Amino acid sequence: MRSLAAALGVRPTKQRGQNFVIDPNTVRRIVRTADLAPAGETVLEVGPGLGSLTLALLAEGHRVTAVEIDPLLAGALPATIAEYAPNQASRLTVVEADAMNVLPAQIGEPEACVANLPYNVAVPVLLHLLAISPSLRHGLVMVQSEVADRLAAPPGSRTYGVPSAKAAWYAEVRRAGPIGRNVFWPAPNVDSGLVAFTRREPPAGTASREEVFAVIEAAFSQRRKTVRSALARWMPDRDRLDEVLATAGIDPTLRGEMLGITEFAAIADAGH
């Protein structure tokens, strides 16, 4: 990986959250932990960088659609695969795009997402991919350890918040192990962790995802306040808000951090 970077004149940039995985055992562990089908899956990889994880995925017989924002890295990846894994090069598709706003037509219908996500945009990227690609059934992503805690946090826990609740709309999310700092180049100043997700049906109801997410954002806008106080900016009519909470079966004295995605959906439904 270092020799590839030197040949390309590449230096990892903090602006794009680039920390390249240079340890082969780590990428093999990630692929193994992702629990991909032995027969092969179409895997979406975001931020392939120099291609270490891409090579590990291809080596196990999977097809990879790699989304890379850096034009130099995106252009170099096919040549890297052709050199180090020529028999697998035909199973790679490279998309030069920003994963924050990549379009469904650009990525096709991937079945899984396995990626070392850029840490500075990991949550919005993951939520965007889940939103635009219903074919994504499961995945394993590497993120900053604190972000992993937030994504996988259950209601009532200290780290539970907007990312936890929004991710829960799409999938069951869990921590899948820590990653050491010394497997990266350059070594980050933060710890890293793996997050696994398995898609599930969203909560039943008539409210749209956008309407439910508006309730979530309002509920966490003032964490220390009760859900009745916090939701006042979502529904300023207090009498109507009391009716909505009663219809949804929500204790108005609870804080938003005690509510799960089913409860948030019930509130959105009642206020629909």
Side-chain angles (χ1 to χ4, degrees):
M1 291 298 110
R2 289 179 186 272
S3 63
L4 275 174
L8 293 170
V10 168
R11 293 291 302 175
T13 68
K14 192 171 184 180
Q15 177 187 3
R16 287 180 171 161
Q18 290 174 329
N19 296 92
F20 301 133
V21 182
I22 57 173
D23 178 57
N25 290 326
T26 297
V27 292
R28 293 189 194 108
R29 174 191 163 197
I30 291 170
V31 175
R32 186 172 62 249
T33 306
D35 196 25
L36 300 168
E41 296 192 42
T42 300
V43 178
L44 179 65
E45 184 187 3
V46 173
L50 295 167
S52 58
L53 181 56
T54 315
L55 283 163
L57 287 163
L58 291 170
E60 293 298 318
H62 305 292
R63 297 167 298 281
V64 177
T65 299
V67 178
E68 175 58 63
I69 190 174
D70 188 311
L72 179 60
L73 294 174
L77 187 58
T80 299
I81 303 305
E83 179 179 352
Y84 290 92
N87 295 333
Q88 299 152 10
S90 63
R91 297 202 304 273
L92 171 69
T93 301
V94 179
V95 179
E96 185 184 328
D98 183 347
M100 289 272 285
N101 50 41
V102 68
L103 301 174
Q106 293 175 282
I107 61 173
E109 296 185 346
E111 301 160 277
C113 177
V114 181
N116 171 22
L117 293 180
Y119 285 9
N120 51 349
V121 291
V123 170
V125 164
L126 181 59
L127 293 176
H128 175 63
L129 295 176
L130 286 167
I132 69 165
S133 187
S135 63
L136 273 180
R137 298 182 297 103
H138 66 129
L140 183 78
V141 294
M142 181 156 51
V143 296
Q144 185 176 336
S145 186
E146 291 179 359
V147 173
D149 287 339
R150 289 199 290 272
L151 283 169
S157 65
R158 183 178 57 83
T159 51
Y160 182 69
V162 171
S164 329
K166 287 186 176 181
W169 166 271
Y170 300 103
E172 179 184 343
V173 184
R174 60 179 177 83
R175 284 292 302 256
I179 295 288
R181 298 185 185 191
N182 62 346
V183 306
F184 296 95
W185 172 63
N189 295 321
V190 295
D191 293 323
S192 303
L194 297 174
V195 172
F197 67 87
T198 303
R199 190 182 285 272
R200 62 184 176 199
E201 289 296 315
T206 57
S208 68
R209 181 182 71 238
E210 291 77 11
E211 288 169 328
V212 177
F213 281 12
V215 174
I216 291 170
E217 288 165 4
F220 284 103
S221 62
Q222 303 175 77
R223 285 188 73 105
R224 294 185 176 276
K225 292 194 173 183
T226 65
V227 68
R228 182 177 186 270
S229 296
L231 289 181
R233 56 191 298 177
W234 169 70
M235 184 169 285
D237 184 334
R238 287 301 183 99
D239 290 338
R240 172 65 178 141
L241 177 57
D242 288 340
E243 290 178 8
V244 166
L245 292 174
T247 300
I250 304 299
D251 181 347
T253 66
L254 291 175
R255 291 179 179 176
E257 64 200 45
M258 302 305 296
L259 305 181
I261 189 60
T262 302
E263 286 76 28
F264 286 124
I267 294 170
D269 270 349
H272 194 50

